[in-house]
Amino acid sequence: MKTSKLLFTLLFTFVATLAFSQSSIYEMKDFAVYQKMHKKLAIVPIEITVDIKSTPRDITVDEIDKLHKDESLFLQEFFYAVNLNENADKRMSAEIQDVRKTNAMLEKNNVNFFNISKISKEDLAKFCEVDGIICVFFYKSNQIVNEKARNTIDSKVSVFDKNGKLLWEYYDTMFASGDKNMLYLEKIVLEKAAKKNPYRNEIKEIKN
């Protein structure tokens, strides 16, 4: 009896430290039409927003902005690398542009982490000279649940056509105990999104 109770306690403790998530996917009915036309995609800088209540009081706005910019660029590189790795054994129907080239082209048009949310999807695709763009948005917060800290990431990974039409979207809400930092959760979300990348799928026959 004592052994069973001990095993239950250990199992509960182990499970409590894991990250959990709730996810869903939206795909436009005619996605295959666009997939067939798309030859090159760009992953644009990742947008990051933090719940004001979760922000430390001893940090300045400029410091927060710099941290988020560095984090955005790191995760953009990470997502690009993960997509290449996940799809190494299966040819994608569209190429993903090197993010360094993407950022250079955006910078040339005065687009950066701080103003990208104000730029239309059409302009982003035009500046990057691609057929579609992949956008990622993270909203981070920290709550106290049952007197314990819990980190939460609400995320959205979207694919837009060069004309600004939303084609595909992956939603994920991930939460874990406070000892799992936000970057850990963000990387898990991006790894999951890369595995669900719709351009990994065979192009469906388009019905007339």
Side-chain angles (χ1 to χ4, degrees):
M1 182 72 176
K2 289 183 178 180
T3 302
S4 298
K5 186 175 182 180
L6 176 60
L7 288 173
F8 176 82
T9 302
L10 290 174
L11 178 62
F12 179 83
T13 303
F14 173 71
V15 172
T17 63
L18 296 177
F20 292 87
S21 70
Q22 299 173 335
S23 62
S24 61
I25 292 177
Y26 159 81
E27 183 175 305
M28 181 184 171
K29 183 178 179 180
D30 297 328
F31 177 80
V33 175
Y34 292 88
Q35 183 185 11
K36 190 171 184 178
M37 295 188 295
H38 288 180
K39 303 302 180 186
K40 184 177 289 187
L41 308 169
I43 299 172
V44 300
I46 293 173
E47 295 181 54
I48 299 173
T49 301
V50 179
D51 179 7
I52 191 66
K53 297 177 182 178
S54 304
T55 304
R57 296 182 179 181
D58 58 346
I59 190 170
T60 67
V61 173
D62 288 342
E63 290 173 330
I64 291 175
D65 286 344
K66 185 180 185 308
L67 285 172
H68 288 170
K69 178 185 176 183
D70 292 345
E71 181 182 351
S72 170
L73 296 177
F74 169 79
L75 290 171
Q76 182 191 19
E77 287 267 9
F78 176 81
F79 192 34
Y80 172 63
V82 169
N83 267 284
L84 294 184
N85 183 60
E86 283 295 335
N87 300 300
D89 61 342
K90 184 175 182 181
R91 185 176 179 83
M92 289 180 61
S93 59
E95 173 192 354
I96 297 181
Q97 182 171 268
D98 189 309
V99 292
R100 290 168 295 185
K101 181 177 181 179
T102 294
N103 291 345
M105 297 174 85
L106 290 176
E107 186 177 346
K108 184 178 179 181
N109 288 278
N110 300 312
V111 178
N112 53 52
F113 168 78
F114 300 106
N115 65 10
I116 193 168
S117 63
K118 300 177 183 178
I119 310 299
S120 71
K121 308 306 186 222
E122 297 97 317
D123 282 342
L124 290 175
K126 179 182 177 181
F127 296 155
C128 295
E129 299 178 5
V130 292
D131 303 307
I133 57 171
I134 301 174
C135 304
V136 181
F137 174 80
F138 284 126
Y139 180 80
K140 306 191 293 186
S141 61
N142 179 275
Q143 301 103 16
I144 301 298
V145 179
N146 296 326
E147 300 182 352
K148 293 183 179 180
R150 186 175 79 177
N151 288 328
T152 302
I153 295 279
D154 291 302
S155 61
K156 184 170 62 175
V157 180
S158 312
V159 177
F160 292 89
D161 176 59
K162 63 183 178 181
N163 294 316
K165 191 176 186 65
L166 176 62
L167 304 180
W168 183 90
E169 204 152 58
Y170 171 70
Y171 301 91
D172 204 336
T173 295
M174 179 163 285
F175 50 91
S177 56
D179 62 331
K180 301 293 185 184
N181 64 37
M182 295 293 192
L183 187 60
Y184 167 83
L185 297 181
E186 289 167 323
K187 289 171 73 175
I188 290 178
V189 169
L190 295 178
E191 288 172 343
K192 291 171 64 179
K195 291 178 180 178
K196 298 179 184 299
N197 188 319
Y199 292 90
R200 296 181 68 187
N201 303 328
E202 292 184 14
I203 298 178
K204 299 175 184 177
E205 184 179 344
I206 301 171
K207 297 180 181 180
N208 297 323

